[in-house]
Amino acid sequence: MLEIKTAKTRRGKRELEKRAPKLVESGKKTLILHGTKTSGVLNAVLTQIYQLKKESAVKYSRKNENIKPFESGGETSLEFFSLKTDCSIFVYGSHSKKRPDNLVIGRTYDHHIYDLVEVGVENFKPMESFTYDKKIAPKEGSKPLIAFIGEGFENVEELKHLKEVLLDLLRGEVVENLNLAGVDRAYVCSAVSPNRVFFTHCALRLKKSGTIVPRMELVEIGPSMDLVIRRHRLPNDGLRKEAMKISREKPKKKEKNVKKDVLQGKIGNIYVPDQKIGEMALPNKSKGVKRERREAKRKNQGDEHSKRRKEDA
Amino acid sequence: MATEEEKKQLQFDVDLGNLMVFDPHHNFSSYDSTSRVELVKECLSKGTELIQSIADSLFSLPSTEDIDGPLLNLPPPITKLPRQKHLPVPKPPTKWEAFSQKKGIQNRKKDKVVYDEQSGTWKRRFGYDRANDEEAIPIIEAKLTDDPTEDPFAKRRDDKKKRVEKNERNQLQNLKEAAKFGALPSHIQLAATALPITGTQAAPKKFTKDELGNVAGMAATATASGGKFDRKLPGEKAPQHKGKYRKFLPVVGQGTGIGSLEKEQTEKVLNKIMSKNSHDILNVSKAVTMHNVKREKKRKYDNKRNNSITDGKLKTQKKSFKKGDNKKGKETK
């Protein structure tokens, strides 16, 4: 026997529709969480990543005992969290003797682990340690420019993978229209050695150059850190093929109040709001329109009527 | 100079959709030999170059002026990244959709308001106070062919119920078909209910969380300490009525002897027991047989008396009968 279960409230229904698979996806949410043990450095790293991605991230602050992304069976609760928060990128921090200041960045497809990259954090410099003019501080949720430097990102397989994951993590929402005034931050990732990436976050200062294109100046505002590659796991080919699918057709937007007629062609309804003539203020009140006058006139008329009646009697 | 710059720009991979730029040719000098400050400086200077190149292509795109700033259209991203969820699956046609497709039936718009012949007014087609509502007809004319034992109103209600049920079944069938393709609407789930046991209609009762907690609490008191030193289970609740309800009546009652309240109470208890066990106290069949036996005995005795000759015998017999077994015992002594 099956029972049809539907959302009980309109709001709940909307929430479910938001989570439904879409033809064109706009951006991924990030889940930030940590294992049983984290170091002070890692705590700072996780909170600052959360601050960078505040508009599209969920941060868990409790310890998670049974999350071990690379081990089989250790991903179940991670996948559940991904389903619960509707996040498809996760940043998992853990700290152990074997792997100090460990950061696992991974992606999910259909709320199942897609790929994983494990990096160690070294030389971490938090945001607070940088001094700069607060006027140029980037606004929350602005679309960043991302620069990858170094041949390592092309030659070394781990770094190539890390580049893709970092791009997915940092790029934010996919947009069609961009406001140039909102371009105010940049991430710079450089592959300084075959297993090490220097990552930093910069604000942009636009200077006049005499042409339309301003001269860009990078001001380091942090956080900055070295990411040392540890383990990584690529998706298997079948899954990758499945996840890379894109639809040819574009989602149709419902056209409201427009009809098409064979003879007349396109007919549109235009809504004109009520003009509210009654409430309109008159430019000047002439004597005749004044209320006292009108009332006096009416009174006089009444008197005349009574007089007439008396005369009749 | 200009040619050199152009050359450099050609080296960069610019992905305007993601606002990403990648320089695959730059080679850093070995990590260990350079100092940290120098390394950061090198990265930033190189980064500035790259960001400048992306800005060049960005600011040269056609833009429209807006109050907030110049707006421009970004090209779609070049770098392919995996989706977060699968592509939405098209919904398979429902039975009716398939049928109408086959027959070429097309949907037509219907008016919201229709003429109601009963009241002679225009009413809404569906919903409360709708037009031509069969359910609202207060009198049904009887026909010769009608079954006199059948209530036409009940039949009408029944029919409606059956129609609704049938529609629900069809809907479920269509949803099941959609679920097979993974194309259920996002806000609908098909949940399995308990399997019906053959022979019984009602599904077994499900216990709520509260009820289970209460039961767990009751069970926990079944230890020597009454559950006092036991660890609580998650969701367990304290037993609702622990201890007895006892009411003590006033020691000094009204009137003499036991008070009227106490009397009332004892009477109540007695009555309760009596009423509960009245069938045990008065065993009707036993009483009837006893009565029968007694009558039989009496009749036998009367017959004997009529037949007997000696008076003395009769007298002794009568005495013994009257006084019971005691006398008889004496005689045997």
Side-chain angles (χ1 to χ4, degrees), chain A residues 22 86 88 176-177 216, chain B residues 52 73-74 83-85:
Chain A
K22 291 178 191 68
D86 194 31
S88 44
E176 275 183 5
N177 297 319
M216 294 287 179
Chain B
Q52 187 63 51
N73 265 334
L74 283 181
R83 303 176 62 82
Q84 52 174 331
K85 280 160 200 165

Side-chain angles (χ1 to χ4, degrees), chain A residues 11-197:
Chain A
R11 192 176 165 200
K13 190 181 167 186
R14 252 180 279 137
E15 202 56 42
L16 286 172
E17 268 161 10
K18 254 186 244 166
R19 288 174 174 217
K22 291 178 191 68
L23 274 179
V24 175
E25 289 169 347
S26 62
K28 294 179 178 181
K29 272 165 81 185
T30 312
L31 176 66
I32 297 165
L33 74 176
H34 57 77
T36 40
K37 234 177 106 184
T38 51
S39 58
V41 171
L42 210 55
N43 280 336
V45 169
L46 291 179
T47 41
Q48 303 213 339
I49 290 174
Y50 176 62
Q51 276 164 7
L52 294 181
K53 293 202 48 87
K54 207 159 197 177
E55 78 289 344
S56 66
V58 178
K59 188 170 182 292
Y60 276 5
S61 57
R62 288 204 186 174
K63 288 175 182 173
N64 294 293
E65 263 175 44
N66 38 16
I67 294 183
K68 287 170 186 81
F70 279 95
E71 288 164 30
S72 66
E75 74 276 357
T76 37
S77 73
L78 195 62
E79 282 169 0
F80 170 71
F81 290 148
S82 144
L83 177 70
K84 193 180 171 188
T85 56
D86 194 31
C87 290
S88 44
I89 304 179
F90 63 87
V91 179
Y92 169 77
S94 65
H95 181 72
S96 66
K97 200 171 175 184
K98 193 173 174 188
R99 297 194 182 87
D101 298 333
N102 203 33
L103 212 61
V104 181
I105 310 170
R107 293 179 287 180
T108 61
Y109 172 70
D110 264 349
H111 305 300
H112 289 290
I113 302 258
Y114 176 77
D115 61 354
L116 297 165
V117 183
E118 191 177 50
V119 289
V121 176
E122 280 175 25
N123 302 327
F124 175 66
K125 271 177 93 181
M127 280 177 186
E128 298 86 56
S129 63
F130 292 90
T131 46
Y132 58 95
D133 184 12
K134 291 289 182 235
K135 268 181 205 163
I136 58 160
K139 295 191 180 55
E140 197 180 298
S142 63
K143 181 117 174 135
L145 305 179
I146 306 166
F148 289 98
I149 314 164
E151 55 179 6
F153 281 125
E154 206 170 55
N155 301 337
V156 186
E157 200 200 4
E158 286 96 338
L159 288 182
K160 206 174 168 184
H161 187 200
L162 180 69
K163 172 175 169 265
E164 197 190 315
V165 174
L166 277 179
L167 177 64
D168 214 351
L169 175 73
L170 301 173
R171 68 167 176 169
E173 216 170 305
V174 180
V175 288
E176 275 183 5
N177 297 319
L178 184 77
N179 186 350
L180 280 181
V183 176
D184 55 1
R185 68 167 82 197
Y187 293 108
V188 179
C189 310
S190 19
V192 289
S193 76
N195 69 338
R196 185 180 288 267
V197 171

Side-chain angles (χ1 to χ4, degrees), chain B residues 278-315:
Chain B
S278 59
H279 56 282
D280 285 341
I281 290 167
L282 184 73
N283 194 340
V284 179
S285 59
K286 200 175 173 186
V288 168
T289 47
M290 260 170 82
H291 179 73
N292 285 345
V293 168
K294 238 182 196 173
R295 222 172 45 186
E296 193 78 2
K297 265 188 180 168
K298 204 180 177 187
R299 216 181 52 220
K300 267 185 187 168
Y301 167 69
D302 284 347
N303 287 347
K304 262 187 185 173
R305 198 177 147 188
N306 291 344
N307 296 341
S308 68
I309 310 146
T310 53
D311 277 1
K313 223 181 184 177
L314 182 133
K315 260 178 194 170

